[in-house]
Amino acid sequence: MTELTPPQIKTKFDVHLWWITAVIIAVNVGLFFWQILHGMDVSNPSTADAIRWGADYAPLTFLAEPMRLLSSMFFHFGLVHLMLNMWALYIFGSVLEQMFGRVYFLALYVLAGLMGSLLSGYIAIQDSYELIRVGLANPELLPRVGAGASGAVMGLGAALTVLSLLPMLPQQRFILDKKTLLIVMGINLAMGFMISGINNAAHIGGMLMGAVLAALWYLSQKMQQRWIMPLSLVLAACGSYWFYLHCQNLVVYIQPLWSEVLMMMRQQLNF
C-alpha cells in the first residue's frame, strides 16, 4: 500500500492517526502477558488455560456462555500466534482506521470477529450432526477450542481488498495495491485449508463481514449519503444476532450430545 501524501507514521505523534488500532494491539498484548503472569505457557497454552481465559468452545459457548463469541478474540495460543495477528492488525488497521474513521473501523473489527466466531460455531454444530449420523464413530468431528483475533483481522484484510478492487474515490487518501492484497488474503485462506488446527471458518466469517461492510462504506462515500454507514452497522449487528439465534435453534437437537461432551471436558480439565 502506498499513499498520495506519504505520512511519517514512524513518529510517536502519528500514532494519533490510528490510535484505536494501537489500543486494540495494546489490550491483546497486555492480556497475553497478564495470562503468562498467572501461569500460562508462553508458547503452548493448555486447553484448560484457553477455556479459563475466554476461548471459544462451542458446547460451552452456545449452552452457557455466549460472551465467548467475543472474549475469544482476545486470547491467543502462544506468542507466535499473538505476534502474527498483531502484526497483521497493525498493517491493515493503521490504514483502514484512517479511511473508515474510528467508529466504523472499530465496529467492523468487532462485527467481523463476532461473525468469525458464529460461523465457526455453526460449522461445529454441523459437524456434531454428522457425528450423530455416523454413530459417534468419528471423534475428529467433536468441537474444538478456538481463539484469536484472526477472524477480525481477516475482516480488515478483506475490507481493504474489496476497496482495492473498486474505482478509487476522489477523496481517498491511500492507493491500495490489489495484487498484493489478493495474494496475502489468498495465501492465508489456502494455509487454513492445508494446515490442521487453523480455524478457517472464523477466517471466512470475518472476511465475509469485512467485505460486505467495506462495500457498503464505499457506497456511502460514492453516493455521498453518510446515513448508509450507521444503517449498515445496525443491519450487520441484527444479521449477526439472527445468525446466533439460528445456531441456538439448531443446538436444541444436539444438546444431549453437547451436554455430555461438556461434562466430560469439565471433569478432565477441572473447570
Side-chain angles (χ1 to χ4, degrees):
M1 286 164 282
T2 59
E3 255 198 281
L4 298 178
T5 308
Q8 301 299 317
I9 61 173
K10 293 182 180 180
T11 65
K12 183 178 180 181
F13 176 76
D14 285 322
V15 174
H16 78 283
L17 297 174
W18 45 274
W19 69 266
I20 292 293
T21 300
V23 167
I24 297 173
I25 293 172
V27 169
N28 276 277
V29 173
L31 283 173
F32 184 77
F33 284 102
W34 180 255
Q35 291 154 7
I36 292 172
L37 290 175
H38 284 75
M40 187 185 76
D41 190 313
V42 66
S43 60
N44 188 27
S46 66
T47 301
D49 281 333
I51 294 293
R52 188 177 300 114
W53 289 102
D56 180 25
Y57 182 59
L60 183 58
T61 299
F62 285 97
L63 294 181
E65 301 176 10
M67 273 302 296
R68 290 178 179 272
L69 292 169
L70 291 174
S71 64
S72 59
M73 296 165 55
F74 297 94
F75 179 85
H76 289 84
F77 289 103
L79 184 60
V80 173
H81 187 207
L82 174 73
M83 291 175 63
L84 289 174
N85 276 338
M86 293 305 99
W87 176 247
L89 173 55
Y90 163 71
I91 295 296
F92 295 148
S94 60
V95 173
L96 205 55
E97 182 177 341
Q98 295 180 64
M99 295 182 69
F100 280 175
R102 296 185 180 99
V103 173
Y104 199 86
F105 165 78
L106 180 59
L108 185 150
Y109 181 85
V110 173
L111 287 167
L114 177 60
M115 183 54 67
S117 297
L118 285 169
L119 186 59
S120 177
Y122 177 78
I123 297 300
I125 293 169
Q126 297 302 316
D127 285 345
S128 293
Y129 272 103
E130 179 65 16
L131 191 64
I132 294 173
R133 189 187 70 81
V134 300
L136 308 181
N138 188 355
E140 291 185 0
L141 295 177
L142 286 170
R144 298 180 180 180
V145 176
S150 54
V153 171
M154 290 290 278
L156 301 182
L160 282 173
T161 303
V162 166
L163 296 180
S164 74
L165 297 173
L166 296 170
M168 189 171 175
L169 294 167
Q171 71 276 25
Q172 185 171 316
R173 184 181 179 190
F174 291 89
I175 300 173
L176 304 175
D177 188 339
K178 63 181 177 182
K179 182 178 179 180
T180 299
L181 285 165
L182 286 169
I183 291 173
V184 168
M185 297 303 290
I187 289 175
N188 274 279
L189 270 182
M191 288 175 62
F193 285 113
M194 294 185 297
I195 301 174
S196 63
I198 294 180
N199 189 350
N200 224 22
H203 292 180
I204 294 171
M207 289 175 64
L208 290 174
M209 179 63 78
V212 169
L213 287 178
L216 291 171
W217 176 86
Y218 182 89
L219 181 65
S220 73
Q221 302 302 305
K222 192 75 172 176
M223 297 177 61
Q224 296 185 349
Q225 299 291 329
R226 298 188 66 83
W227 59 266
I228 295 176
M229 295 167 61
L231 179 62
S232 301
L233 298 179
V234 170
L235 291 176
C238 290
S240 298
Y241 184 61
W242 173 87
F243 193 22
Y244 169 73
L245 293 179
H246 177 62
C247 290
Q248 286 285 24
N249 289 334
L250 295 176
V251 166
V252 171
Y253 301 100
I254 57 172
Q255 185 169 350
L257 170 63
W258 274 16
S259 295
E260 183 178 352
V261 168
L262 186 55
M263 182 177 65
M264 293 172 58
M265 173 167 273
R266 279 176 167 157
Q267 291 174 348
Q268 293 173 358
L269 302 181
N270 192 27
F271 74 91

